[in-house]
Amino acid sequence: MSAPSPSLPTPASSVGTDASAPAADGADAPAAVSADAPATSGAGVPAPTAAELLDFVRRTAEDTALVASLPLDPEGRTWLRLEGPGGSEAWLISWPPGTGTGWHDHAESAGAFTVAAGALREHSLAARLPTDGWKTLELSEGVDRTRLLATGQGRAFGRHHVHEVLNESGHEHAVSVHAYYPPLPQIRRYSRSGAVLRLEQTERPEDWQ
């Protein structure tokens, strides 16, 4: 049974800048990844499904006043933390022209994101990587996926999804809304050279909050 539709968010913290923003994210499954989310949240209430997170970010992206309240900085991403449904973590993030996240994943968190303004390109891997015990992997052929998400378009993603998100515009900011459940326990960042993916660092919540 689906949980009641969550209300639109209210800001939960002050505006931040790129140095402390979490990576923004997405992946290849519209709402069909809900099995990846725990059945209940820490408070004992039903955990939000991927479909509910996707609905939340889409409706939030339609809140033009909220989107317009986020300051845009030409030098780096800015962000505003929001209250997500069912104890999830949510963010409103701006992307100056030419900026991106680099390759990363979100550990045990599933979630969704929607573009509220502009457009974002996502490069992702259609493969699940080992969760621990490696520093360098050689990727198989055919695992790369790419998609361009325009204003109003979004997607859900499952746990351990690896991707990078880019604003390829040379002149236009993009703005997007993201939600994760459970709240991000860590983000693993990677470098890539051709088919070789290398784990560079692991970030935890204290690194971006």
Side-chain angles (χ1 to χ4, degrees):
M1 178 183 298
S2 298
S5 181
S7 59
L8 289 177
T10 54
S13 69
S14 59
V15 172
T17 60
D18 191 55
S20 55
D25 319 317
D28 278 319
V33 295
S34 58
D36 276 343
T40 59
S41 70
V45 299
T49 66
E52 289 163 344
L53 293 176
L54 187 58
D55 178 67
F56 168 82
V57 296
R58 282 174 170 165
R59 291 187 301 107
T60 303
E62 294 171 355
D63 185 342
T64 55
L66 177 64
V67 172
S69 73
L70 183 63
L72 304 182
D73 184 346
E75 301 300 322
R77 288 183 296 162
T78 54
W79 54 266
L80 183 65
R81 186 161 186 172
L82 309 171
E83 281 192 34
S88 62
E89 178 176 348
W91 302 83
L92 178 68
I93 300 176
S94 77
W95 307 71
T99 57
T101 61
W103 287 93
H104 65 279
D105 69 13
H106 318 100
E108 296 293 329
S109 296
F113 84 111
T114 290
V115 178
L120 293 173
R121 170 81 63 182
E122 183 201 26
H123 300 292
S124 63
L125 300 180
R128 178 163 292 186
L129 306 183
T131 55
D132 293 297
W134 65 277
K135 289 290 186 181
T136 302
L137 287 177
E138 185 169 353
L139 302 172
S140 302
E141 291 186 8
V143 300
D144 284 290
R145 301 288 185 270
T146 185
R147 66 174 61 191
L148 181 66
L149 296 170
T151 299
Q153 294 182 320
R155 61 176 312 171
F157 55 90
R159 295 182 287 181
H160 306 294
H161 177 66
V162 179
H163 72 159
E164 66 173 350
V165 179
L166 310 165
N167 178 6
E168 296 178 325
S169 173
H171 60 277
E172 184 180 15
H173 267 77
V175 178
S176 53
V177 184
H178 308 257
Y180 311 92
Y181 190 86
L184 293 170
Q186 65 180 30
I187 293 173
R188 296 188 300 180
R189 295 195 179 274
Y190 306 96
S191 61
R192 183 173 178 184
S193 177
V196 177
L197 192 72
R198 179 183 298 274
L199 175 63
E200 296 292 349
Q201 67 183 81
T202 298
E203 298 177 1
R204 303 194 182 279
E206 56 268 25
D207 297 319
W208 65 76
Q209 295 185 16

